[in-house]
Amino acid sequence: METTQNSIKIVEVTQVSPSKSIHDYNTLHLTCFDLSFATLLPVDHLFFYEFSGSTSEIIHKLKCSLSLTLCYYRALAGHLTWGLSDSKPYVLCSQTDSVSVVIAESHADFYKLSSIDKIINAMELRSYAPSLQISDESATIISLQITSFPGFGFCIGITTHHAILDGKSTAILMKSWAYLCKNLCKENENYLLDLVLPAHLKPCLDRTLIKDPTGKREKLYLDWMLNSAAKINPEANPRSLKVVDTKPLKGVKEHVRATFHFSRQDINKVRENITSKLNFDDDLHLSSFSVTYAHAIVCYIKAKAVETNFRKVNFTFVSDHRSRLVPPLPVNYFGNCVAPSKLMIVEKKDVVGEEGHVNVVKNISDSIKSLKKYGYFESAEEVMNTFSKMEPSPLGVIAVAGSPKFELYEVDFGWGRPRKVDMETTKPSCICMIDSRDQSGGIEIGLVMENQAQLQAFASLFINEFIAFIGDVSRIIIELITNITLVVMEAHDGIDVIGVSRGLNEEQWLKGRW
């Protein structure tokens, strides 16, 4: 089977089944955490690896190790089901379950797609992520695509259903698969049957560990699912697993994306600047996440404000509650245990003004403190109410996907660490965060904008906002370099963001290390 999609040739679509049964269960029920994501968009991750040899051996080993991995993660080969007689969706497993794996070949520019200093068309990356099969009553849970770039490398694309896996669960799955693949003895494939996962990678699937003391959260999210579907299409079946997209995209073909590196030194500079503007009695949560998210929001809003008319900025984030529940969940709990913060609403003038970073980070800090004080079950209804009362906005809700804590650059299948990890999205309001490839403690920010001009504006602001936090000599030098960068960006199609996206610190700028 060979079909062509843009520069990608689909060579084969195959099914991989668990090689043996480790977990003895036929169904897996959804918790209140799972239900809150049941009809949201699937999540895509792309892992790019450099490799100049033959990919046939790679594909063979990936398939063999995936088969064993699914023994531990049998539910992923099943289907999410919501029949007419079922009160809520659940996972149904059978002996014939399997996972779809697309084998493809691409002659696109591997190094452009896997670079952090290029602006590329957002839809181009979409071709490397497979799709899930979703209907009213049934949905596949994961789908995989292995794309070879002959002579250069390969890409593993994984698409996951958010009702079954949150970001941490996806990271555990990929590290489990990589561990088994890396330890596979090619001289004796029977050795595969003897491979076992270390304890920290064995998934805990015990849903009884999550207990809702109020008994109301499950109904709250089921009602939300039904009401959301009915609002968008009153004539459609509200008891449906189909994705409910509250803000369908327009002009997707023009959307562009890039990755920006925010080093540990950059984060510390922004943190120091914010601290210098606080009152003595201010007590803010100034983590790397808070500071980076605030900086990204300020730059994003300033870039959007040129072309878009809006008055308020809505933003949120999701937090992991594994350690916050009583008793805490095991670190290897597999499923959803994340929930959104309350919706934060700030006037545009308070974001684009001189105190923009401070105003945004204060909201983020207050939201984190609220989660620590009240917990998930006590605050879930209040959080839902903040979203239901939100005023319509052309920007929608800005949100974060991913986390640097997942350490996705540690996913090594035996051919080295990834050259690039991407969370594929075409949503402009989604800010993706992962750990830094260079293991320096920095953060990579993936961002989609509606057009090239907006992304160029963001790139300029990303540095210019940072210029305000450093000395005058550095400021003059960086302004000159930024102007040169923007000229280069406008002159070429394969646009280089150069130093703008590399997040070089002050010392590197002054010494010319760019």
Side-chain angles (χ1 to χ4, degrees):
M1 172 186 177
E2 291 193 5
T3 60
T4 303
Q5 179 182 350
N6 299 329
S7 59
I8 296 181
K9 179 175 69 176
I10 305 300
V11 178
E12 178 189 10
V13 179
T14 186
Q15 300 292 319
V16 175
S17 302
S19 58
K20 58 182 178 178
S21 180
I22 292 177
H23 294 291
D24 184 21
Y25 58 83
N26 294 317
T27 61
L28 187 70
H29 83 264
L30 304 191
T31 69
C32 51
F33 286 103
D34 299 323
L35 288 171
S36 65
F37 296 98
T39 55
L40 297 191
L41 288 165
V43 182
D44 303 322
H45 286 81
L46 302 177
F47 295 78
F48 289 90
Y49 295 87
E50 284 188 281
F51 186 77
S52 58
S54 170
T55 55
S56 57
E57 177 191 342
I58 287 176
I59 292 171
H60 178 69
K61 288 188 70 173
L62 287 172
K63 285 183 179 179
C64 288
S65 52
L66 175 63
S67 181
L68 180 55
T69 306
L70 291 174
C71 299
Y72 293 92
Y73 297 85
R74 181 184 164 196
L76 301 184
H79 287 76
L80 184 62
T81 302
W82 197 5
L84 294 176
S85 60
D86 303 321
S87 60
K88 65 176 184 177
Y90 65 98
V91 176
L92 178 63
C93 304
S94 71
Q95 295 299 319
T96 59
D97 287 339
S98 61
V99 169
S100 171
V101 180
V102 177
I103 308 300
E105 184 177 296
S106 174
H107 293 282
D109 187 337
F110 174 80
Y111 291 106
K112 175 184 173 184
L113 293 173
S114 61
S115 174
I116 65 168
D117 57 4
K118 301 288 184 183
I119 295 178
I120 61 175
N121 185 283
M123 290 302 292
E124 191 172 356
L125 279 182
R126 185 70 190 86
S127 304
Y128 298 90
S131 299
L132 299 181
Q133 301 300 314
I134 302 177
S135 66
D136 284 335
E137 295 186 0
S138 179
T140 51
I141 297 170
I142 68 167
S143 184
L144 294 156
Q145 179 172 320
I146 305 168
T147 305
S148 63
F149 296 78
F152 299 101
F154 63 97
C155 171
I156 298 177
I158 178 170
T159 301
T160 59
H161 201 298
H162 209 327
I164 313 302
L165 300 88
D166 61 11
K168 186 168 186 177
S169 295
T170 300
I172 293 174
L173 168 65
M174 293 302 293
K175 290 176 182 178
S176 298
W177 183 15
Y179 174 88
L180 294 173
C181 185
K182 192 173 185 178
N183 287 279
L184 176 61
C185 177
K186 64 180 179 182
E187 287 80 15
N188 179 15
E189 286 190 3
N190 289 328
Y191 175 64
L192 176 67
L193 299 176
D194 299 323
L195 282 173
V196 293
L197 287 174
H200 71 282
L201 291 178
K202 290 181 179 178
C204 172
L205 297 163
D206 187 358
R207 295 301 198 260
T208 65
L209 294 175
I210 294 181
K211 297 178 174 62
D212 179 1
T214 67
K216 297 178 180 178
R217 299 298 164 247
E218 187 173 295
K219 184 178 185 305
L220 179 71
Y221 287 119
L222 278 171
D223 289 345
W224 177 83
M225 286 171 57
L226 297 171
N227 293 335
S228 297
K231 284 180 181 179
I232 293 175
N233 187 354
E235 298 180 0
N237 175 18
R239 289 170 51 85
S240 173
L241 293 173
K242 289 183 178 179
V243 171
V244 175
D245 194 353
T246 56
K247 197 175 189 303
L249 295 174
K250 297 179 181 179
V252 178
K253 291 183 179 179
E254 285 72 44
H255 289 186
V256 289
R257 66 169 292 133
T259 300
F260 300 84
H261 181 245
F262 212 39
S263 71
R264 182 191 292 270
Q265 293 92 336
D266 296 339
I267 295 169
N268 288 337
K269 284 286 186 182
V270 178
R271 183 187 288 116
E272 290 168 9
N273 179 267
I274 292 173
T275 303
S276 69
K277 296 180 179 180
L278 299 178
N279 297 322
F280 179 76
D281 57 349
D282 284 332
D283 179 23
L284 298 187
H285 185 87
L286 294 177
S287 64
S288 295
F289 165 79
S290 302
V291 170
T292 303
Y293 190 26
H295 186 66
I297 287 176
V298 170
C299 296
Y300 177 80
I301 294 304
K302 287 186 175 182
K304 295 287 288 186
V306 177
E307 296 183 6
T308 310
N309 183 28
F310 57 94
R311 188 168 58 88
K312 294 184 178 181
V313 178
N314 306 306
F315 57 101
T316 185
F317 60 89
V318 295
S319 56
D320 191 326
H321 288 265
R322 284 170 173 80
S323 62
R324 294 190 172 109
L325 299 185
V326 180
L329 295 184
V331 293
N332 59 336
Y333 175 80
F334 193 84
N336 281 286
C337 196
V338 294
S341 70
K342 68 179 182 179
L343 183 68
M344 292 163 278
I345 304 173
V346 181
E347 295 286 338
K348 181 177 74 172
K349 61 181 178 60
D350 293 328
V351 177
V352 300
E354 291 186 6
E355 299 293 313
H357 284 79
V358 174
N359 292 329
V360 173
V361 88
K362 278 184 176 180
N363 276 269
I364 297 171
S365 179
D366 288 346
S367 189
I368 292 173
K369 288 179 182 179
S370 176
L371 286 171
K372 290 181 177 180
K373 182 177 180 179
Y374 298 108
Y376 164 71
F377 292 109
E378 292 77 7
S379 61
E381 192 164 0
E382 179 189 350
V383 168
M384 295 291 287
N385 287 336
T386 63
F387 282 88
S388 63
K389 296 176 181 177
M390 182 185 76
E391 296 180 13
S393 168
L395 297 185
V397 178
I398 302 171
V400 176
S403 169
K405 293 182 180 180
F406 298 155
E407 298 180 333
L408 295 178
Y409 277 103
E410 297 302 314
V411 178
D412 179 0
F413 287 87
W415 300 283
R417 297 169 67 248
R419 170 179 165 83
K420 177 71 184 298
V421 180
D422 248 322
M423 291 191 69
E424 191 282 318
T425 180
T426 53
K427 285 279 189 181
S429 57
C430 182
I431 296 172
C432 303
M433 290 190 193
I434 61 172
D435 52 306
S436 175
R437 179 172 63 186
D438 62 11
Q439 297 179 297
S440 64
I443 296 175
E444 289 184 9
I445 301 170
L447 185 72
V448 172
M449 299 292 274
E450 291 176 352
N451 54 58
Q452 189 168 301
Q454 287 184 5
L455 193 52
Q456 288 177 353
F458 179 92
S460 177
L461 286 161
F462 197 78
I463 280 296
N464 286 333
E465 288 294 321
F466 183 67
I467 291 172
F469 306 148
I470 59 180
D472 290 335
V473 175
S474 302
R475 183 178 310 159
I476 294 170
I477 295 173
I478 296 177
E479 283 177 345
L480 289 172
I481 294 173
T482 302
N483 289 335
I484 295 171
T485 299
L486 291 177
V487 170
V488 173
M489 290 167 68
E490 291 171 357
H492 296 280
D493 238 353
I495 305 158
D496 280 333
V497 184
I498 312 178
V500 172
S501 69
R502 292 181 181 164
L504 305 183
N505 60 44
E506 181 180 351
E507 181 182 0
Q508 290 170 316
W509 280 108
L510 290 172
K511 291 184 177 180
R513 296 177 183 172
W514 52 276

